[in-house]
Amino acid sequence: MLRHLLKLIWKRKSRNMMLSLEILLAFLVVFAIAAFGLRHYQLYQLPTGHEWRKQWSVSMRAAKDLPNDAAIFDNLGRSLLALPEVEAVAFSWFGTYEMSRWTEEYTLPDGSSQITIDGLGVSDDYFRTMDMKLAAGRWFSRADDGADATPVIVNQLVADKLFPGKNPIGQLYIAKQAGKEAPKRYRVTGVVAQFRAQGELQEPVYMMLPRWIPGVGKETANNIMLKLRPGTPRTFETRLNARLKQVRGDWNYIVTPLPDGRKSMLGTQMIPLTILSVIAAFLLVMVAFGLFGVLWQNTTQRIPEIGLRRALGASAGDIYRQIVAEQMLLSSGAMAVALVLLVQLPLTGVFGENLDWTVFFMASVLSAGVICLLSLLCSLYPGWRAARLSPTQALHYE
């Protein structure tokens, strides 16, 4: 039976070529969307390295650049900790679940292992405020005052890249600078498994959290991170803003509970996937109409052949199964060709971790299921219509 069907498909190869190409392109589109969506799901399952359920973020804005004044930041911290709803206060260059990023190139002191690292300067209390966990080493603190290099917490990616096979704790690396100034030095005090400031759908990046000290250096903190007691209502925002205005009434404050910031960030990051899904759905509808029309036309042109089979004793069920089986074989062949082309992507690693073998296999299975279902649905009615033909009607067809 299979050999007979393959012969029938081969004899109509010129007509089936365009149909196969259409199925192949549809499979590629579905695969791309499936892989993109599965990668998003894969990222969502990874830890972010920080908490968000009880944390609030306060972005500070001034008419000019915020001053790095130790007295101001000390006053802000003490005033906020006096509120009964506040458990911990910390400062950072920018907040989490924001589109802000700060990157720079770094190397080992001998100039090797150059990498680009995302940075986020934070105060000593940041880790307690964000409920972070160490993988190795310790958090920096006032015990690091006067250190010969800036204490820094790095994620595991940085530790593996800069210090492969070594204990990263206590290791030194420097900022790559083109000028004659002495490069800034960083000494690793601790390692976290991961830290993704932009949330669950951010790709893992090389990340460092250098120590920021109020009143020291040019960089200033533009953000306050708060850890609130469980059950704190949203109405607390009014009291919080009033307390901040008491400290610096000439600054503006944007208060964002991290659950809201997370929801907004996820919505923004999902926009490309949503757009691509709509486009893919539209293309699949167009492909479905095309497949249905071609199958209808092919069935009409094959009425004499169908009538001869019926006259030789084939049942209506045999005809029905033949039409459906031919379409499924044609779809399988087109998908096999597409997979031969697509398997080169994870083999060459052109997309890196965005298309690992797990994503590839899951996207292949999902795409194959969608195309098989589409092909089956498009072939059901033409097959049913062909099966209804009586031998007399078919043999008299012109």
Side-chain angles (χ1 to χ4, degrees):
M1 181 62 178
L2 178 61
R3 183 178 179 184
H4 175 69
L5 292 176
L6 291 175
K7 284 184 178 180
L8 291 176
I9 293 174
W10 178 254
K11 287 180 179 179
R12 294 188 300 274
K13 55 183 176 294
S14 58
R15 297 177 184 176
N16 291 332
M17 185 64 68
M18 293 304 297
L19 186 60
S20 298
L21 181 60
E22 189 174 5
I23 296 171
L24 186 148
L25 293 176
F27 182 85
L28 293 178
V29 171
V30 175
F31 178 88
I33 303 302
F36 193 59
L38 287 168
R39 179 56 179 168
H40 273 57
Y41 178 76
Q42 195 178 54
L43 290 173
Y44 188 83
Q45 300 302 311
L46 297 176
T48 58
H50 58 81
E51 266 295 340
W52 52 269
R53 292 171 180 82
K54 297 186 294 181
Q55 283 70 22
W56 284 26
S57 173
V58 181
S59 179
M60 299 178 288
R61 298 288 185 268
K64 297 181 180 181
D65 292 339
L66 294 178
N68 187 9
D69 190 320
I72 294 177
F73 286 105
D74 181 68
N75 195 5
L76 282 170
R78 292 178 182 275
S79 298
L80 293 175
L81 282 173
L83 295 171
E85 294 86 354
V86 178
E87 286 189 2
V89 179
F91 300 96
S92 59
W93 290 348
F94 52 86
T96 55
Y97 295 109
E98 296 181 5
M99 298 305 293
S100 303
R101 289 185 69 181
W102 182 86
T103 62
E104 194 171 353
E105 292 184 348
Y106 299 87
T107 68
L108 294 178
D110 60 4
S112 62
S113 301
Q114 177 178 320
I115 61 171
T116 300
I117 306 178
D118 282 39
L120 173 60
V122 298
S123 63
D124 293 348
D125 294 327
Y126 186 84
F127 312 106
R128 182 168 67 93
T129 303
M130 298 301 290
D131 291 326
M132 295 175 60
K133 296 181 180 179
L134 272 173
R138 61 175 179 81
W139 305 123
F140 48 68
S141 64
R142 291 186 176 180
D144 295 293
D145 288 349
D148 62 340
T150 301
V152 64
I153 304 295
V154 299
N155 66 359
Q156 194 65 51
L157 290 176
V158 173
D160 293 341
K161 178 67 176 180
L162 289 179
F163 317 109
K166 299 179 182 179
N167 181 5
I169 306 304
Q171 299 288 346
L172 191 70
Y173 65 94
I174 62 175
K176 183 181 179 182
Q177 296 179 347
K180 295 183 179 179
E181 297 181 2
K184 193 168 184 178
R185 294 151 48 92
Y186 297 88
R187 191 174 299 280
V188 179
T189 65
V191 178
V192 293
Q194 188 53 270
F195 187 88
R196 294 187 290 163
Q198 294 180 4
E200 285 79 357
L201 297 183
Q202 182 188 10
E203 290 285 343
V205 295
Y206 297 116
M207 188 73 195
M208 58 179 274
L209 301 169
R211 188 187 185 206
W212 174 79
I213 305 173
V216 177
K218 299 178 181 179
E219 296 89 357
T220 187
N222 295 282
N223 198 81
I224 307 173
M225 297 303 303
L226 304 174
K227 179 181 178 181
L228 304 182
R229 301 188 186 281
T232 301
R234 182 62 186 265
T235 54
F236 172 66
E237 180 179 343
T238 303
R239 292 182 56 214
L240 175 61
N241 196 67
R243 179 59 61 92
L244 291 168
K245 284 290 187 180
Q246 290 176 2
V247 179
R248 286 301 299 249
D250 56 332
W251 290 2
N252 295 319
Y253 306 94
I254 302 174
V255 180
T256 306
L258 284 199
D260 293 349
R262 175 178 178 269
K263 182 178 179 181
S264 177
M265 178 62 73
L266 286 174
T268 300
Q269 293 169 331
M270 287 293 290
I271 289 176
L273 181 60
T274 303
I275 294 175
L276 289 176
S277 298
V278 171
I279 295 173
F282 176 77
L283 290 176
L284 285 177
V285 170
M286 295 297 101
V287 169
F289 279 118
L291 285 177
F292 185 81
V294 171
L295 287 172
W296 183 292
Q297 183 182 22
N298 286 347
T299 303
T300 302
Q301 293 174 347
R302 296 173 62 187
I303 287 179
E305 173 196 332
I306 295 170
L308 182 60
R309 282 207 66 199
R310 291 299 306 275
L312 291 175
S315 65
D318 293 333
I319 300 300
Y320 189 80
R321 285 189 293 270
Q322 176 187 344
I323 299 299
V324 174
E326 285 183 13
Q327 178 57 34
M328 298 306 293
L329 280 174
L330 201 62
S331 299
S332 299
M335 289 188 291
V337 173
L339 285 173
V340 170
L341 298 175
L342 290 171
V343 77
Q344 310 302 318
L345 299 178
L347 283 175
T348 57
V350 63
F351 289 111
E353 293 185 359
N354 290 323
L355 187 62
D356 57 21
W357 285 108
T358 300
V359 172
F360 175 80
F361 283 123
M362 293 180 66
S364 299
V365 171
L366 182 60
S367 304
V370 170
I371 297 301
C372 286
L373 179 61
L374 184 66
S375 298
L376 178 62
L377 293 176
C378 290
S379 63
L380 288 179
Y381 183 75
W384 176 80
R385 182 172 176 270
R388 290 188 61 195
L389 289 171
S390 67
T392 304
Q393 290 175 317
L395 292 174
H396 283 83
Y397 175 81
E398 296 185 4

